[in-house]
Amino acid sequence: MTSRLLALPLIAGAAALALTGCATSSASGNASDDETVRVVASTNVYGSIVQSVGGKDVEVTSILSDPSQDPHSFESSAKTQLAVSKADLLVENGGGYDDFMTTLAKASGTKAATIDVAELSGLDHGGEFNEHVFYDYPTMVKLVAEVQQRLTKLDSAQADTFETNAKALTAKLDDLESQTAAAKAKVDGEKVAYTEPVPGYLFDAMGLDNVTPEKFSEAIEEGDDVPPAALNETLQLFRDKTVRMLAYNEQTSSPETEQVKQAADQAGIPVVGVTETLPKGEDYVSWQQANIDAIQAALTK
């Protein structure tokens, strides 16, 4: 899917100037002077994974963490800049999803290394790349290994802790993969739709066939007007009961997505809410477990 999202407004001159003098991580890549390893993640999805590996020995800041916030619109603050300037490690989605991280890093002058998860994934970036790689469990397994390696380099004294935590989290991610493989044996080929390609990789893992008109989902993702023909074609999927389920991005809405949701409700087709950040009180694994459970429940109705 084409890149979009999370535009970063220019930071006010006074705030930017005030922050240029903030302490930054050392060029050697070691942890901060107070020996606390500090990591800044673009969203709490990645913050959760880093915290699970790092445990109490790592201080994690997630820039986007409010489940009610529209992740397509983000405004920086001096506090955010300060956190980035003091970071020992940055974690971003990449793939055009959270370009604000690059802007923040440049403005703060940090020398912290950055993990670009889209790049780490090895997934095909050609054509219409779906940048929502946080719904791809094999990619998250790679991320856990990368985070363990980076944290160990920053704080070798806690290497055993990071290794133990990484193994435990990887086992949980492997279980999620096993569940999707088992689900595929039951629902492979079922036609489904979404308002945006947020759960696309999860759909693929479960063998689900997304038949949403590309011009509809692209327009919604980019925040553009949906072509009337694409909207009508999408609505027809529900009128004809072509699809078994609709995945609805709960963090962005428009008149067109509301029309589609209403069409699904009227046709008696289950609507499953999906998000781009963690709901309150959830960690990465519990969030994705809930997604798997909700999709399977919808497809059995």
Side-chain angles (χ1 to χ4, degrees):
M1 193 55 59
T2 52
S3 301
R4 59 98 176 97
L5 171 81
L6 305 172
L8 175 66
L10 291 176
I11 302 166
L17 289 172
L19 286 164
T20 54
C22 292
T24 61
S25 303
S26 64
S28 65
N30 296 324
S32 308
D33 292 340
D34 62 2
E35 298 186 352
T36 298
V37 175
R38 294 187 173 91
V39 182
V40 175
S42 61
T43 76
N44 62 359
V45 171
Y46 297 125
S48 172
I49 288 176
V50 174
Q51 197 72 75
S52 292
V53 177
K56 63 180 179 59
D57 299 300
V58 176
E59 180 182 300
V60 181
T61 298
S62 298
I63 294 177
L64 291 176
S65 59
D66 184 350
S68 65
Q69 181 177 12
D70 179 356
H72 294 227
S73 57
F74 166 70
E75 293 185 4
S76 179
S77 66
K79 183 178 180 180
T80 303
Q81 274 283 63
L82 183 60
V84 171
S85 74
K86 291 186 174 183
D88 300 297
L89 178 66
L90 304 176
V91 182
E92 66 181 23
N93 186 86
Y97 183 86
D98 46 9
D99 288 338
F100 68 86
M101 287 291 285
T102 301
T103 304
L104 283 168
K106 288 181 178 178
S108 69
T110 181
K111 294 181 176 63
T114 298
I115 298 176
D116 182 317
V117 185
E119 183 177 299
L120 180 69
S121 73
L123 295 166
D124 185 8
H125 287 207
E128 298 298 330
F129 176 63
N130 181 1
E131 69 271 25
H132 303 94
V133 293
F134 41 89
Y135 272 81
D136 182 65
Y137 305 146
T139 294
M140 295 302 99
V141 170
K142 290 181 180 180
L143 175 60
V144 169
E146 184 70 14
V147 168
Q148 179 196 343
Q149 178 184 337
R150 300 289 187 123
L151 294 182
T152 298
K153 184 177 181 181
L154 290 165
D155 187 359
S156 58
Q158 301 301 326
D160 290 345
T161 297
F162 299 149
E163 181 181 7
T164 298
N165 292 345
K167 284 182 177 179
L169 180 53
T170 298
K172 293 177 180 179
L173 294 173
D174 287 343
D175 180 60
L176 293 179
E177 284 193 69
S178 296
Q179 290 182 54
T180 58
K184 184 175 182 178
K186 299 177 182 178
V187 301
D188 191 26
E190 293 285 3
K191 290 182 171 54
V192 294
Y194 49 49
T195 54
E196 293 184 64
V198 174
Y201 292 110
L202 179 54
F203 279 7
D204 291 344
M206 297 177 77
L208 300 174
D209 181 14
N210 168 57
V211 295
T212 311
E214 193 171 295
K215 289 184 179 180
F216 175 85
S217 55
E218 275 190 0
I220 295 301
E221 190 176 26
E222 299 290 349
D224 297 332
D225 292 334
V226 178
L231 175 58
N232 187 62
E233 187 180 349
T234 304
L235 293 172
Q236 201 64 40
L237 294 175
F238 302 96
R239 296 174 185 141
D240 295 342
K241 297 191 176 182
T242 301
V243 296
R244 293 280 306 279
M245 184 197 77
L246 169 68
Y248 184 89
N249 187 353
E250 295 182 335
Q251 289 176 275
T252 61
S253 63
S254 69
E256 292 91 349
T257 60
E258 288 300 314
Q259 279 185 263
V260 169
K261 184 178 180 182
Q262 184 178 31
D265 288 336
Q266 290 176 346
I269 294 171
V271 177
V272 174
V274 294
T275 60
E276 298 181 57
T277 55
L278 300 184
K280 187 176 181 180
E282 301 282 358
D283 61 21
Y284 180 82
V285 173
S286 65
W287 173 53
Q288 287 300 318
Q289 183 65 65
N291 286 327
I292 292 172
D293 292 345
I295 291 172
Q296 292 194 96
L299 294 174
T300 58
K301 290 182 178 178

